[in-house]
Amino acid sequence: MIWAVTAAIIGTSLYGASEGRKARMDAEKQQKKALLQQSTEAAAMRTELANQTAEYAKQGASLQQQANLAKEQFAAQQLQYGENKLAMDTKAKEVQAAADEERRKAAASEASALKARTRGGRRSLLSQERMTPELGISATQLGSGMMV
């Protein structure tokens, strides 16, 4: 009976060891599957991150291009504004010069009229051949006041 008990203990131990080995093998298989799953997920995540990075790079390049275009448009608008301002300043100077010339002419005309009124009196006869207003203009005179 000791043999039987010993055999039962040994059999139980061998069965326990066999079950332990199976459990360890199953655990190793599960661990390998989990590691394989993790590496697959990590590769998929790296691929997704690479795709997102590429997309962000495209968006960044697009935004940079838009910013450059906006800068160019702004520079062109500033240049056009400068040209328009220069043209308007030139036109304003021309208008001011024309107005000054008109004022000068009006002042000269007014001054000559004033001079004629104050120094010449009210003379109606300007020709030396017409000494008296009663004689009038003879037929032999031309409009220049010269005798023919």
mmCIF file of all heavy atoms in Angstrom, residues 2-50:
data_model
loop_
_atom_site.group_PDB
_atom_site.id
_atom_site.type_symbol
_atom_site.label_atom_id
_atom_site.label_comp_id
_atom_site.label_asym_id
_atom_site.label_seq_id
_atom_site.Cartn_x
_atom_site.Cartn_y
_atom_site.Cartn_z
ATOM 1 N N ILE A 2 1.955 1.209 0.556
ATOM 2 C CA ILE A 2 2.845 2.337 0.505
ATOM 3 C C ILE A 2 3.219 2.583 -0.943
ATOM 4 O O ILE A 2 3.329 3.740 -1.328
ATOM 5 C CB ILE A 2 4.088 2.044 1.354
ATOM 6 C CG1 ILE A 2 3.670 2.021 2.789
ATOM 7 C CG2 ILE A 2 5.128 3.057 1.150
ATOM 8 C CD1 ILE A 2 4.744 1.884 3.732
ATOM 9 N N TRP A 3 3.309 1.471 -1.620
ATOM 10 C CA TRP A 3 3.616 1.625 -3.049
ATOM 11 C C TRP A 3 2.458 2.301 -3.759
ATOM 12 O O TRP A 3 2.670 3.135 -4.653
ATOM 13 C CB TRP A 3 3.895 0.236 -3.649
ATOM 14 C CG TRP A 3 5.166 -0.355 -3.137
ATOM 15 C CD1 TRP A 3 5.301 -1.239 -2.146
ATOM 16 C CD2 TRP A 3 6.442 -0.040 -3.602
ATOM 17 N NE1 TRP A 3 6.581 -1.550 -1.935
ATOM 18 C CE2 TRP A 3 7.334 -0.800 -2.850
ATOM 19 C CE3 TRP A 3 7.020 0.784 -4.547
ATOM 20 C CZ2 TRP A 3 8.698 -0.758 -3.017
ATOM 21 C CZ3 TRP A 3 8.373 0.786 -4.710
ATOM 22 C CH2 TRP A 3 9.187 0.052 -3.954
ATOM 23 N N ALA A 4 1.341 1.990 -3.370
ATOM 24 C CA ALA A 4 0.181 2.569 -4.023
ATOM 25 C C ALA A 4 0.060 4.044 -3.661
ATOM 26 O O ALA A 4 -0.280 4.901 -4.506
ATOM 27 C CB ALA A 4 -1.086 1.833 -3.608
ATOM 28 N N VAL A 5 0.323 4.367 -2.423
ATOM 29 C CA VAL A 5 0.242 5.757 -2.016
ATOM 30 C C VAL A 5 1.357 6.544 -2.701
ATOM 31 O O VAL A 5 1.152 7.657 -3.186
ATOM 32 C CB VAL A 5 0.358 5.875 -0.473
ATOM 33 C CG1 VAL A 5 0.470 7.333 -0.028
ATOM 34 C CG2 VAL A 5 -0.816 5.214 0.173
ATOM 35 N N THR A 6 2.544 5.934 -2.738
ATOM 36 C CA THR A 6 3.679 6.586 -3.387
ATOM 37 C C THR A 6 3.377 6.764 -4.853
ATOM 38 O O THR A 6 3.651 7.831 -5.433
ATOM 39 C CB THR A 6 4.951 5.749 -3.194
ATOM 40 O OG1 THR A 6 5.120 5.452 -1.823
ATOM 41 C CG2 THR A 6 6.155 6.468 -3.692
ATOM 42 N N ALA A 7 2.827 5.725 -5.485
ATOM 43 C CA ALA A 7 2.493 5.804 -6.903
ATOM 44 C C ALA A 7 1.424 6.852 -7.121
ATOM 45 O O ALA A 7 1.458 7.627 -8.104
ATOM 46 C CB ALA A 7 2.025 4.461 -7.412
ATOM 47 N N ALA A 8 0.470 6.950 -6.193
ATOM 48 C CA ALA A 8 -0.578 7.951 -6.329
ATOM 49 C C ALA A 8 0.014 9.346 -6.174
ATOM 50 O O ALA A 8 -0.336 10.291 -6.905
ATOM 51 C CB ALA A 8 -1.667 7.726 -5.297
ATOM 52 N N ILE A 9 0.937 9.517 -5.232
ATOM 53 C CA ILE A 9 1.564 10.818 -5.025
ATOM 54 C C ILE A 9 2.389 11.177 -6.240
ATOM 55 O O ILE A 9 2.335 12.308 -6.737
ATOM 56 C CB ILE A 9 2.418 10.808 -3.747
ATOM 57 C CG1 ILE A 9 1.517 10.692 -2.532
ATOM 58 C CG2 ILE A 9 3.268 12.062 -3.649
ATOM 59 C CD1 ILE A 9 2.259 10.564 -1.231
ATOM 60 N N ILE A 10 3.161 10.198 -6.755
ATOM 61 C CA ILE A 10 3.991 10.442 -7.931
ATOM 62 C C ILE A 10 3.104 10.730 -9.132
ATOM 63 O O ILE A 10 3.358 11.639 -9.912
ATOM 64 C CB ILE A 10 4.941 9.272 -8.180
ATOM 65 C CG1 ILE A 10 5.968 9.196 -7.064
ATOM 66 C CG2 ILE A 10 5.646 9.430 -9.508
ATOM 67 C CD1 ILE A 10 6.920 8.047 -7.170
ATOM 68 N N GLY A 11 2.053 9.982 -9.303
ATOM 69 C CA GLY A 11 1.126 10.195 -10.421
ATOM 70 C C GLY A 11 0.486 11.565 -10.325
ATOM 71 O O GLY A 11 0.317 12.286 -11.326
ATOM 72 N N THR A 12 0.098 11.936 -9.101
ATOM 73 C CA THR A 12 -0.514 13.239 -8.909
ATOM 74 C C THR A 12 0.505 14.337 -9.206
ATOM 75 O O THR A 12 0.191 15.353 -9.828
ATOM 76 C CB THR A 12 -1.024 13.381 -7.468
ATOM 77 O OG1 THR A 12 -1.881 12.295 -7.165
ATOM 78 C CG2 THR A 12 -1.770 14.671 -7.264
ATOM 79 N N SER A 13 1.746 14.123 -8.767
ATOM 80 C CA SER A 13 2.800 15.101 -9.021
ATOM 81 C C SER A 13 3.063 15.227 -10.507
ATOM 82 O O SER A 13 3.231 16.345 -11.039
ATOM 83 C CB SER A 13 4.101 14.716 -8.323
ATOM 84 O OG SER A 13 3.923 14.702 -6.943
ATOM 85 N N LEU A 14 3.143 14.080 -11.196
ATOM 86 C CA LEU A 14 3.380 14.104 -12.643
ATOM 87 C C LEU A 14 2.211 14.770 -13.362
ATOM 88 O O LEU A 14 2.405 15.557 -14.294
ATOM 89 C CB LEU A 14 3.586 12.696 -13.179
ATOM 90 C CG LEU A 14 4.908 12.049 -12.821
ATOM 91 C CD1 LEU A 14 4.946 10.615 -13.359
ATOM 92 C CD2 LEU A 14 6.055 12.826 -13.415
ATOM 93 N N TYR A 15 1.010 14.463 -12.920
ATOM 94 C CA TYR A 15 -0.157 15.096 -13.523
ATOM 95 C C TYR A 15 -0.124 16.606 -13.271
ATOM 96 O O TYR A 15 -0.387 17.416 -14.160
ATOM 97 C CB TYR A 15 -1.434 14.460 -12.970
ATOM 98 C CG TYR A 15 -2.695 15.090 -13.524
ATOM 99 C CD1 TYR A 15 -3.120 14.795 -14.815
ATOM 100 C CD2 TYR A 15 -3.448 16.003 -12.764
ATOM 101 C CE1 TYR A 15 -4.265 15.381 -15.331
ATOM 102 C CE2 TYR A 15 -4.591 16.579 -13.270
ATOM 103 C CZ TYR A 15 -4.993 16.266 -14.557
ATOM 104 O OH TYR A 15 -6.118 16.838 -15.080
ATOM 105 N N GLY A 16 0.213 17.026 -12.079
ATOM 106 C CA GLY A 16 0.304 18.438 -11.724
ATOM 107 C C GLY A 16 1.385 19.125 -12.544
ATOM 108 O O GLY A 16 1.214 20.267 -13.019
ATOM 109 N N ALA A 17 2.540 18.404 -12.687
ATOM 110 C CA ALA A 17 3.631 18.971 -13.482
ATOM 111 C C ALA A 17 3.214 19.095 -14.928
ATOM 112 O O ALA A 17 3.512 20.094 -15.601
ATOM 113 C CB ALA A 17 4.884 18.114 -13.343
ATOM 114 N N SER A 18 2.525 18.088 -15.428
ATOM 115 C CA SER A 18 2.054 18.117 -16.821
ATOM 116 C C SER A 18 1.065 19.259 -17.012
ATOM 117 O O SER A 18 1.135 20.007 -17.997
ATOM 118 C CB SER A 18 1.425 16.774 -17.177
ATOM 119 O OG SER A 18 0.803 16.855 -18.443
ATOM 120 N N GLU A 19 0.166 19.403 -16.065
ATOM 121 C CA GLU A 19 -0.818 20.491 -16.163
ATOM 122 C C GLU A 19 -0.118 21.854 -16.025
ATOM 123 O O GLU A 19 -0.467 22.807 -16.712
ATOM 124 C CB GLU A 19 -1.903 20.331 -15.077
ATOM 125 C CG GLU A 19 -2.875 19.197 -15.336
ATOM 126 C CD GLU A 19 -3.678 19.404 -16.604
ATOM 127 O OE1 GLU A 19 -4.172 20.539 -16.855
ATOM 128 O OE2 GLU A 19 -3.798 18.439 -17.375
ATOM 129 N N GLY A 20 0.879 21.951 -15.182
ATOM 130 C CA GLY A 20 1.642 23.183 -15.011
ATOM 131 C C GLY A 20 2.373 23.546 -16.294
ATOM 132 O O GLY A 20 2.430 24.719 -16.701
ATOM 133 N N ARG A 21 3.003 22.501 -16.928
ATOM 134 C CA ARG A 21 3.703 22.725 -18.190
ATOM 135 C C ARG A 21 2.720 23.184 -19.249
ATOM 136 O O ARG A 21 2.999 24.115 -20.016
ATOM 137 C CB ARG A 21 4.431 21.448 -18.593
ATOM 138 C CG ARG A 21 5.350 21.630 -19.751
ATOM 139 C CD ARG A 21 6.138 20.380 -20.083
ATOM 140 N NE ARG A 21 5.326 19.194 -19.902
ATOM 141 C CZ ARG A 21 5.706 18.074 -19.307
ATOM 142 N NH1 ARG A 21 6.903 17.951 -18.854
ATOM 143 N NH2 ARG A 21 4.896 17.067 -19.168
ATOM 144 N N LYS A 22 1.541 22.543 -19.316
ATOM 145 C CA LYS A 22 0.520 22.947 -20.292
ATOM 146 C C LYS A 22 0.081 24.395 -20.029
ATOM 147 O O LYS A 22 -0.075 25.184 -20.965
ATOM 148 C CB LYS A 22 -0.698 22.023 -20.221
ATOM 149 C CG LYS A 22 -0.517 20.693 -20.866
ATOM 150 C CD LYS A 22 -1.840 19.909 -20.772
ATOM 151 C CE LYS A 22 -1.688 18.513 -21.309
ATOM 152 N NZ LYS A 22 -2.941 17.753 -21.192
ATOM 153 N N ALA A 23 -0.117 24.693 -18.755
ATOM 154 C CA ALA A 23 -0.548 26.044 -18.403
ATOM 155 C C ALA A 23 0.536 27.060 -18.772
ATOM 156 O O ALA A 23 0.253 28.149 -19.286
ATOM 157 C CB ALA A 23 -0.872 26.117 -16.914
ATOM 158 N N ARG A 24 1.816 26.696 -18.494
ATOM 159 C CA ARG A 24 2.920 27.586 -18.837
ATOM 160 C C ARG A 24 3.008 27.766 -20.345
ATOM 161 O O ARG A 24 3.208 28.863 -20.846
ATOM 162 C CB ARG A 24 4.226 27.032 -18.262
ATOM 163 C CG ARG A 24 5.346 28.034 -18.332
ATOM 164 C CD ARG A 24 6.657 27.451 -17.894
ATOM 165 N NE ARG A 24 7.074 26.549 -18.952
ATOM 166 C CZ ARG A 24 7.630 25.349 -18.793
ATOM 167 N NH1 ARG A 24 7.881 24.904 -17.596
ATOM 168 N NH2 ARG A 24 7.949 24.600 -19.790
ATOM 169 N N MET A 25 2.845 26.691 -21.108
ATOM 170 C CA MET A 25 2.881 26.751 -22.576
ATOM 171 C C MET A 25 1.737 27.599 -23.099
ATOM 172 O O MET A 25 1.924 28.420 -24.002
ATOM 173 C CB MET A 25 2.810 25.345 -23.165
ATOM 174 C CG MET A 25 4.004 24.530 -22.874
ATOM 175 S SD MET A 25 5.176 24.807 -24.148
ATOM 176 C CE MET A 25 5.800 23.195 -24.361
ATOM 177 N N ASP A 26 0.563 27.400 -22.512
ATOM 178 C CA ASP A 26 -0.588 28.219 -22.924
ATOM 179 C C ASP A 26 -0.336 29.697 -22.595
ATOM 180 O O ASP A 26 -0.663 30.588 -23.385
ATOM 181 C CB ASP A 26 -1.867 27.738 -22.222
ATOM 182 C CG ASP A 26 -2.418 26.443 -22.813
ATOM 183 O OD1 ASP A 26 -2.019 26.115 -23.967
ATOM 184 O OD2 ASP A 26 -3.237 25.796 -22.153
ATOM 185 N N ALA A 27 0.264 29.942 -21.427
ATOM 186 C CA ALA A 27 0.573 31.314 -21.040
ATOM 187 C C ALA A 27 1.591 31.916 -22.005
ATOM 188 O O ALA A 27 1.471 33.080 -22.410
ATOM 189 C CB ALA A 27 1.086 31.356 -19.610
ATOM 190 N N GLU A 28 2.599 31.127 -22.397
ATOM 191 C CA GLU A 28 3.594 31.619 -23.356
ATOM 192 C C GLU A 28 2.943 31.915 -24.706
ATOM 193 O O GLU A 28 3.247 32.925 -25.344
ATOM 194 C CB GLU A 28 4.732 30.601 -23.520
ATOM 195 C CG GLU A 28 5.677 30.541 -22.360
ATOM 196 C CD GLU A 28 6.760 29.484 -22.538
ATOM 197 O OE1 GLU A 28 6.806 28.812 -23.601
ATOM 198 O OE2 GLU A 28 7.569 29.314 -21.606
ATOM 199 N N LYS A 29 2.045 31.032 -25.131
ATOM 200 C CA LYS A 29 1.339 31.255 -26.400
ATOM 201 C C LYS A 29 0.486 32.522 -26.313
ATOM 202 O O LYS A 29 0.476 33.334 -27.236
ATOM 203 C CB LYS A 29 0.451 30.046 -26.745
ATOM 204 C CG LYS A 29 1.197 28.849 -27.241
ATOM 205 C CD LYS A 29 0.226 27.722 -27.570
ATOM 206 C CE LYS A 29 0.958 26.473 -27.992
ATOM 207 N NZ LYS A 29 0.033 25.353 -28.280
ATOM 208 N N GLN A 30 -0.213 32.679 -25.194
ATOM 209 C CA GLN A 30 -1.033 33.866 -25.008
ATOM 210 C C GLN A 30 -0.160 35.134 -24.995
ATOM 211 O O GLN A 30 -0.506 36.148 -25.571
ATOM 212 C CB GLN A 30 -1.835 33.776 -23.695
ATOM 213 C CG GLN A 30 -2.943 32.755 -23.701
ATOM 214 C CD GLN A 30 -4.036 33.107 -24.702
ATOM 215 O OE1 GLN A 30 -4.286 34.271 -24.980
ATOM 216 N NE2 GLN A 30 -4.674 32.082 -25.262
ATOM 217 N N GLN A 31 0.999 35.021 -24.333
ATOM 218 C CA GLN A 31 1.903 36.156 -24.267
ATOM 219 C C GLN A 31 2.449 36.487 -25.652
ATOM 220 O O GLN A 31 2.550 37.655 -26.030
ATOM 221 C CB GLN A 31 3.046 35.855 -23.292
ATOM 222 C CG GLN A 31 3.882 37.063 -22.967
ATOM 223 C CD GLN A 31 4.922 36.765 -21.902
ATOM 224 O OE1 GLN A 31 5.218 35.608 -21.597
ATOM 225 N NE2 GLN A 31 5.460 37.824 -21.333
ATOM 226 N N LYS A 32 2.806 35.454 -26.434
ATOM 227 C CA LYS A 32 3.294 35.683 -27.807
ATOM 228 C C LYS A 32 2.209 36.323 -28.664
ATOM 229 O O LYS A 32 2.479 37.251 -29.442
ATOM 230 C CB LYS A 32 3.775 34.372 -28.431
ATOM 231 C CG LYS A 32 5.097 33.890 -27.901
ATOM 232 C CD LYS A 32 5.519 32.605 -28.574
ATOM 233 C CE LYS A 32 6.831 32.097 -27.981
ATOM 234 N NZ LYS A 32 7.247 30.835 -28.595
ATOM 235 N N LYS A 33 0.969 35.820 -28.494
ATOM 236 C CA LYS A 33 -0.147 36.419 -29.243
ATOM 237 C C LYS A 33 -0.336 37.880 -28.843
ATOM 238 O O LYS A 33 -0.555 38.751 -29.694
ATOM 239 C CB LYS A 33 -1.449 35.654 -28.978
ATOM 240 C CG LYS A 33 -1.606 34.387 -29.736
ATOM 241 C CD LYS A 33 -2.984 33.777 -29.435
ATOM 242 C CE LYS A 33 -3.190 32.469 -30.145
ATOM 243 N NZ LYS A 33 -4.511 31.899 -29.839
ATOM 244 N N ALA A 34 -0.257 38.129 -27.540
ATOM 245 C CA ALA A 34 -0.440 39.499 -27.060
ATOM 246 C C ALA A 34 0.678 40.401 -27.586
ATOM 247 O O ALA A 34 0.426 41.538 -28.016
ATOM 248 C CB ALA A 34 -0.483 39.517 -25.533
ATOM 249 N N LEU A 35 1.925 39.910 -27.565
ATOM 250 C CA LEU A 35 3.037 40.690 -28.087
ATOM 251 C C LEU A 35 2.896 40.933 -29.586
ATOM 252 O O LEU A 35 3.178 42.031 -30.072
ATOM 253 C CB LEU A 35 4.378 39.994 -27.786
ATOM 254 C CG LEU A 35 4.826 40.028 -26.322
ATOM 255 C CD1 LEU A 35 6.086 39.178 -26.148
ATOM 256 C CD2 LEU A 35 5.085 41.447 -25.876
ATOM 257 N N LEU A 36 2.468 39.895 -30.304
ATOM 258 C CA LEU A 36 2.244 40.048 -31.738
ATOM 259 C C LEU A 36 1.134 41.065 -32.000
ATOM 260 O O LEU A 36 1.261 41.938 -32.878
ATOM 261 C CB LEU A 36 1.905 38.691 -32.368
ATOM 262 C CG LEU A 36 1.695 38.669 -33.882
ATOM 263 C CD1 LEU A 36 2.985 39.099 -34.586
ATOM 264 C CD2 LEU A 36 1.271 37.297 -34.348
ATOM 265 N N GLN A 37 0.064 40.974 -31.209
ATOM 266 C CA GLN A 37 -1.048 41.923 -31.336
ATOM 267 C C GLN A 37 -0.566 43.347 -31.025
ATOM 268 O O GLN A 37 -0.902 44.293 -31.728
ATOM 269 C CB GLN A 37 -2.197 41.532 -30.399
ATOM 270 C CG GLN A 37 -3.398 42.438 -30.459
ATOM 271 C CD GLN A 37 -4.146 42.331 -31.780
ATOM 272 O OE1 GLN A 37 -4.051 41.329 -32.483
ATOM 273 N NE2 GLN A 37 -4.869 43.373 -32.121
ATOM 274 N N GLN A 38 0.238 43.495 -29.966
ATOM 275 C CA GLN A 38 0.755 44.813 -29.605
ATOM 276 C C GLN A 38 1.661 45.376 -30.692
ATOM 277 O O GLN A 38 1.592 46.552 -31.017
ATOM 278 C CB GLN A 38 1.534 44.733 -28.281
ATOM 279 C CG GLN A 38 0.661 44.626 -27.062
ATOM 280 C CD GLN A 38 1.493 44.504 -25.788
ATOM 281 O OE1 GLN A 38 2.707 44.333 -25.827
ATOM 282 N NE2 GLN A 38 0.820 44.595 -24.648
ATOM 283 N N SER A 39 2.528 44.518 -31.247
ATOM 284 C CA SER A 39 3.421 45.005 -32.311
ATOM 285 C C SER A 39 2.619 45.376 -33.553
ATOM 286 O O SER A 39 2.927 46.368 -34.224
ATOM 287 C CB SER A 39 4.495 43.967 -32.639
ATOM 288 O OG SER A 39 3.921 42.811 -33.236
ATOM 289 N N THR A 40 1.559 44.616 -33.869
ATOM 290 C CA THR A 40 0.697 44.950 -35.002
ATOM 291 C C THR A 40 -0.010 46.280 -34.747
ATOM 292 O O THR A 40 -0.063 47.143 -35.632
ATOM 293 C CB THR A 40 -0.346 43.833 -35.241
ATOM 294 O OG1 THR A 40 0.321 42.594 -35.420
ATOM 295 C CG2 THR A 40 -1.199 44.126 -36.457
ATOM 296 N N GLU A 41 -0.529 46.451 -33.541
ATOM 297 C CA GLU A 41 -1.198 47.702 -33.198
ATOM 298 C C GLU A 41 -0.210 48.872 -33.206
ATOM 299 O O GLU A 41 -0.545 49.971 -33.663
ATOM 300 C CB GLU A 41 -1.877 47.591 -31.831
ATOM 301 C CG GLU A 41 -3.101 46.700 -31.841
ATOM 302 C CD GLU A 41 -3.687 46.494 -30.449
ATOM 303 O OE1 GLU A 41 -3.104 47.013 -29.463
ATOM 304 O OE2 GLU A 41 -4.719 45.823 -30.354
ATOM 305 N N ALA A 42 1.004 48.635 -32.717
ATOM 306 C CA ALA A 42 2.014 49.687 -32.712
ATOM 307 C C ALA A 42 2.391 50.071 -34.144
ATOM 308 O O ALA A 42 2.557 51.258 -34.461
ATOM 309 C CB ALA A 42 3.252 49.231 -31.941
ATOM 310 N N ALA A 43 2.505 49.076 -35.037
ATOM 311 C CA ALA A 43 2.816 49.369 -36.442
ATOM 312 C C ALA A 43 1.682 50.162 -37.079
ATOM 313 O O ALA A 43 1.916 51.129 -37.821
ATOM 314 C CB ALA A 43 3.068 48.076 -37.205
ATOM 315 N N ALA A 44 0.436 49.769 -36.786
ATOM 316 C CA ALA A 44 -0.716 50.494 -37.323
ATOM 317 C C ALA A 44 -0.736 51.921 -36.776
ATOM 318 O O ALA A 44 -1.017 52.881 -37.511
ATOM 319 C CB ALA A 44 -2.010 49.763 -36.972
ATOM 320 N N MET A 45 -0.394 52.075 -35.494
ATOM 321 C CA MET A 45 -0.377 53.399 -34.893
ATOM 322 C C MET A 45 0.728 54.257 -35.518
ATOM 323 O O MET A 45 0.523 55.435 -35.799
ATOM 324 C CB MET A 45 -0.166 53.297 -33.385
ATOM 325 C CG MET A 45 -0.354 54.615 -32.650
ATOM 326 S SD MET A 45 -0.168 54.457 -30.880
ATOM 327 C CE MET A 45 -1.632 53.534 -30.491
ATOM 328 N N ARG A 46 1.900 53.642 -35.752
ATOM 329 C CA ARG A 46 2.986 54.382 -36.398
ATOM 330 C C ARG A 46 2.586 54.798 -37.808
ATOM 331 O O ARG A 46 2.875 55.918 -38.237
ATOM 332 C CB ARG A 46 4.266 53.538 -36.437
ATOM 333 C CG ARG A 46 5.011 53.509 -35.118
ATOM 334 C CD ARG A 46 6.382 52.881 -35.276
ATOM 335 N NE ARG A 46 6.353 51.491 -35.710
ATOM 336 C CZ ARG A 46 6.299 50.441 -34.909
ATOM 337 N NH1 ARG A 46 6.265 50.607 -33.599
ATOM 338 N NH2 ARG A 46 6.270 49.223 -35.401
ATOM 339 N N THR A 47 1.914 53.918 -38.525
ATOM 340 C CA THR A 47 1.446 54.249 -39.870
ATOM 341 C C THR A 47 0.440 55.392 -39.812
ATOM 342 O O THR A 47 0.512 56.335 -40.610
ATOM 343 C CB THR A 47 0.807 53.011 -40.541
ATOM 344 O OG1 THR A 47 1.749 51.950 -40.548
ATOM 345 C CG2 THR A 47 0.371 53.319 -41.955
ATOM 346 N N GLU A 48 -0.483 55.321 -38.856
ATOM 347 C CA GLU A 48 -1.489 56.380 -38.698
ATOM 348 C C GLU A 48 -0.817 57.697 -38.344
ATOM 349 O O GLU A 48 -1.178 58.755 -38.885
ATOM 350 C CB GLU A 48 -2.501 55.990 -37.620
ATOM 351 C CG GLU A 48 -3.596 57.001 -37.406
ATOM 352 C CD GLU A 48 -4.509 57.169 -38.604
ATOM 353 O OE1 GLU A 48 -4.655 56.244 -39.403
ATOM 354 O OE2 GLU A 48 -5.069 58.281 -38.743
ATOM 355 N N LEU A 49 0.163 57.651 -37.449
ATOM 356 C CA LEU A 49 0.883 58.866 -37.093
ATOM 357 C C LEU A 49 1.651 59.427 -38.286
ATOM 358 O O LEU A 49 1.701 60.645 -38.480
ATOM 359 C CB LEU A 49 1.848 58.599 -35.935
ATOM 360 C CG LEU A 49 1.199 58.453 -34.560
ATOM 361 C CD1 LEU A 49 2.245 58.052 -33.531
ATOM 362 C CD2 LEU A 49 0.508 59.725 -34.145
ATOM 363 N N ALA A 50 2.249 58.549 -39.072
ATOM 364 C CA ALA A 50 2.965 59.010 -40.266
ATOM 365 C C ALA A 50 1.991 59.660 -41.246
ATOM 366 O O ALA A 50 2.297 60.712 -41.829
ATOM 367 C CB ALA A 50 3.692 57.848 -40.929
#
